[in-house]
Each structure stands twice: as structure tokens, then as C-alpha cells.
Amino acid sequence: MGRDNGFMIFGRRENPSVEALERIKSFKEFHAILNEDERKNQAARCMSCGMPMCQSAIRLGGMVTGCPLHNLIPEWNDALFNGEFETAAKRLMATSSFPEFTGRVCPALCEKACNLSSGKCGGADGAVTVHDNELFIIEKAFSLGLVKPRIPKIRTDKKIAVVGAGPAGLAVADILNRRGHNVTVFEREDKAGGLLMYGIPNMKLDKSVIERRIKLMEDEGVRFVFNADVGALGNDGKSLEAEKLLSNFDAIALCCGAKKPRSLSVPGADSNGVMFAVDFLKSVTKSLLASNLTDGQFFDVKGKRVIVVGGGDTGNDCTGTCIRLGAENVTQLEMMPCPPEERAKNNPWPQWPKVLKTDYGQQEAIALWKKDPRIYETTIKEIYAKDGNVCGVKTVQVEFKTIDGKRQLVEKEGSEQELKADLILIAAGFVGAEDYSARAFGTDVGPRGTLATESPEKYATSVPKVFTAGDMHRGQSLVVWAICEGRECAKEIDRYLMGYSNL
């Protein structure tokens, strides 16, 4: 504990953001990093609690609070406060494979569990800025040359194929390579990262950050094979037979995500101008990286009226992206009620706070159009089209009611409204892994459309030497959970191959 009263002296100060109306002019990251002295002051606010809930990852009220990676937060906050940057980086990287990712895109489960966020610490001004401290430490480590290739001194004769280069697959590859195994990652896209690369917009996670990590992993000995669609059927040059992997590798980790999007089952859903959010975001990022949006290989929304179905992170990313592309307006439809601005009495600390969050995209919409783009307890009932193209929607308000002992979503009678629209982006979540991956390897699939394992804490599938991790195993979730699962899956694979594990 660097300073025993730091939380009483220094108030919480987050990394500053570029003003909304300025940052929408580009797809650049818009959070500046505090200077070294200010960041040390923020680290000084860590209380070194007797029971640091920030690193607990315990389930309360049906939701997890605290870091799933069990990051050693008090330790590296203390090192940061004392200017011991190498120690801080070592303690951070001891439990976290990619802090430069989570330091940008994680919703900071750690901060929600921080004792200073409980409101019961006199003089405290909110949780420790764990998220920003993490980012400062890892970026400082890169700038000082402290992050170097860690090449195993001894290699085993074991070969592992990782299918999918998202955060889970990368974590599996990272850990097993450091153990000395020979790891090859197969990715169907042209770049690594999964949804980190093509799902999360550049202003939230600059893609050079991912490329930097991939270069480091390649220098450490991980082999990447891109444009390899394992299990797919076709003559497109990308398809790769699962049997070849089963024959040529000692273990296989399937980390293909849960990318089957939830669709809209309403009249007019097959009209031109209805598309999944992930396809839209992918097209924009690909064009941005290839040509700085000059090649026209993305869905242009300039001057269009956009409706986003879904109020979560992906919906927010669509809002921010559409604003940068010059949309006339953006409306977000959310089926759930608007959360309270403060914790309800039945949602006490350290439970995950079920409170209203206004993210960057919504902030930008408010700054630009002077109103919140979200409409709560509302969904689309019908899509209108003219000459096959979307021209509007009929919406209806909904609410949850208990009918015959079951909680069901029902329409509110007489609540229909009509909205004009040129584009509808579906950001309503995902319903499981894509079928062909599981089918190709013959693995069992669970009721949620993900690969079945003996228990949530196990990673071996029903097929010998085939394992799974990340969203493909647990369903749609956070980047930090994908990394956590990848690390744990790697340990299980190591035990399978070697009969024990020292990971």
C-alpha cells in the first residue's frame, strides 16, 4: 500500500476524453492517458484492502463482480505508485495475457467491486481507476522496452492447433507456446483478433495495438495461418478439412466464438437495408484499414436514417460508427426498461451495479442531436419497404409479465408507432456458435448452441483431444472472460498432453 490515506487525498480522475463533437470527425482512439504523476496519484488511492473484492470474480445476484483473471491489482497499484514500472508490468502480466486489450475495452468488473465504490469509505470519491491504471502500466512497459519476446528455452514435440484467433484463441496459443509446445493458429479472416479486430470499432481499440501483439507472438514462435476456414465446405481456397487437423495435431482448441446472430422474425425482415451489426462493423473496419474508407467497400450510411435494434455494447458501437459516417440520425431500440441512475436497494455493493450507462456512442448522439438515441421497452413489429428497400418500421412497446408461472414478453396494446428508416442494424446478441464448426469435428452441442463440455469449468469436448474455450464454450460474453477461458483451457490441454501441468 503506497499511501495509507491516498483515497482521502486524491479524488478519482479518469483518462480524459476528446470532446464528443470533435472526436466524431475521425476513427482514432479518443482517450488521452494521464501523465505519470497524476497516474501515480490514482494508484495511491488503492487501499490495499484486507479483502480486495476487485480481484475476486465472485457470483452475486446471478452476475459476476470482480476480475475474472484475478489480476493482482493491489500489488501492481502499489508498484505503480512507487514508480516501479517493471515490477508493476510483471505482476500485471503474471495473470493477464493481453492487458492492452482489456485496458481499452473491458467494462471494468474490478472497479464495480472496489471497496471505494461501496460508498462506505469516508472521504472516498469513487472506485480506484483500475482500468486506466492497467492501460498505463502496459503501455509504459511497451514504451520502456520491457515487453519482449519470451521464447521458450526448451520445446516439446507436441503440436497444437488453435482454430480462431480471437481473444480466447490467442490466450490459448500464448500460454501453450510459453510452455514450449508448438502452436499453430488457424483464422478464417485475413487478420488476427476476431471481434477485437472486426467487431470492435477502431476508435475503441486501435487495430495497430492488435498487430503489435500478434507480431510479438510470432516472434515468440506462434505460427498464424490466415484465410483458413476450418470445417467449411466449398472450393473458395479458404476451406480446410477438420480431418487434417485431427490427423496432424496432438490437440485442437476450438475458439471460433459464438457468432450466430439473433435475427428479426418480423414481416419485411428480408428487405434490402436490414443487416446484422457485426457485418456492418466488419465492413467499415476492413475498408478503414485497407483504404481509409475510400474504396467504397462498406455500407455507406451518409444521410441515412438508421435504426439499431439492441441497446448493448454492439448497438452503441453501431451508433458511434454511423455518426462518424454521417448518418442523418440514429435511433436505438431496447426491449428492456431503462435502468435506474443509482443502485436499487435490492442491488447493493459489491453486486454488479444494474444502473444506467450512457456510453460513448450515445454521448455523441446527445451532443449532436440533443437527445438520447435510446427508446426503451420497444421493439420492431414490422418493417416497411418500397421497391424492396427499407423505408420505415412499425414499433411496439413491450413489457415482461408472468403468465402461467412463466416470465414472458408481451406487447402493450395500442402502443404502435411508425418510424422512418433507410437502414436497420440488428445488434440483438448471438444465439450460439456457427453450426459448421461443431459439425466438422463431431462435437456435442449444448442447449445454448455452444460446444458441450463436462461442466462450465472443463474445456474438453465430447471428441478426444478436441477442446474449446471462449464464447464458443460459454456463449456471448466479455473479452476478459474469453482471455480467462483461453488461459484455463491451455492448462487443461497441457495436462492432457503431458500428464501434469506447471502452468
Side-chain angles (χ1 to χ4, degrees), residues 38-52:
E38 287 286 353
R39 185 50 59 202
K40 287 181 179 179
N41 290 343
Q42 291 304 302
R45 299 185 67 244
C46 186
M47 299 169 66
S48 192
C49 310
M51 185 175 291

Side-chain angles (χ1 to χ4, degrees), residues 218-488:
E218 289 177 327
D219 291 344
E220 292 174 332
V222 177
R223 178 171 174 254
F224 288 88
V225 179
F226 298 114
N227 298 305
D229 200 357
V230 178
L233 300 177
N235 298 313
D236 56 3
K238 294 177 63 176
S239 301
L240 185 63
E241 294 178 5
E243 288 78 6
K244 289 184 178 180
L245 269 63
L246 290 166
S247 299
N248 296 332
F249 289 88
D250 299 295
I252 298 169
L254 299 180
C255 305
C256 308
K259 297 179 180 177
K260 186 191 295 182
R262 181 176 286 107
S263 59
L264 284 182
S265 299
V266 299
D270 58 348
S271 303
N272 295 325
V274 179
M275 64 187 308
F276 292 116
V278 288
D279 296 332
F280 169 72
L281 293 172
K282 176 181 174 181
S283 72
V284 174
T285 299
K286 279 206 164 191
S287 178
L288 179 69
L289 296 179
S291 68
N292 198 28
L293 300 174
T294 61
D295 60 9
Q297 299 300 307
F298 65 96
F299 197 97
D300 190 4
V301 303
K302 187 172 183 179
K304 296 186 184 297
R305 300 158 295 187
V306 182
I307 292 179
V308 179
V309 181
D313 289 341
T314 303
N316 171 72
D317 291 337
C318 286
T319 297
T321 299
C322 288
I323 287 174
R324 283 163 176 75
L325 294 176
E328 180 179 319
N329 59 60
V330 180
T331 301
Q332 274 187 264
L333 303 182
E334 169 61 72
M335 289 195 303
M336 302 300 292
C338 180
E341 294 187 2
E342 297 182 356
R343 284 182 182 269
K345 291 183 178 180
N346 63 353
N347 178 217
W349 177 90
Q351 289 183 5
W352 176 264
K354 300 174 184 177
V355 296
L356 180 65
K357 174 186 176 183
T358 301
D359 213 331
Y360 75 94
Q362 287 117 21
Q363 294 169 3
E364 292 161 2
I366 292 169
L368 189 61
W369 297 309
K370 311 304 180 186
K371 67 175 184 177
D372 195 313
R374 293 168 290 187
I375 301 176
Y376 293 95
E377 297 181 282
T378 300
T379 190
I380 291 177
K381 188 171 184 177
E382 184 177 352
I383 297 173
Y384 300 136
K386 182 178 181 181
D387 298 327
N389 299 312
V390 169
C391 63
V393 299
K394 178 192 288 186
T395 66
V396 64
Q397 293 181 9
V398 293
E399 60 183 340
F400 285 97
K401 287 187 175 182
T402 301
I403 302 174
D404 297 330
K406 296 181 179 180
R407 190 167 180 257
Q408 299 182 34
L409 190 68
V410 298
E411 296 181 1
K412 292 183 180 180
E413 188 175 350
S415 64
E416 291 90 349
Q417 287 188 330
E418 294 185 347
L419 298 174
K420 293 181 179 180
D422 305 299
L423 174 65
I424 299 171
L425 298 176
I426 306 172
F430 300 85
V431 294
E434 292 169 296
D435 298 330
Y436 75 87
S437 301
R439 187 168 56 245
F441 286 91
T443 56
D444 290 344
V445 177
R448 297 182 60 202
T450 54
L451 300 198
T453 57
E454 183 181 324
S455 72
E457 292 76 31
K458 299 291 184 179
Y459 301 90
T461 70
S462 58
V463 177
K465 79 175 186 180
V466 178
F467 299 78
T468 186
D471 289 2
M472 197 174 198
H473 176 230
R474 68 180 288 119
Q476 180 191 9
S477 192
L478 303 173
V479 170
V480 67
W481 274 115
I483 296 171
C484 176
E485 288 232 336
R487 292 172 66 93
E488 292 302 314

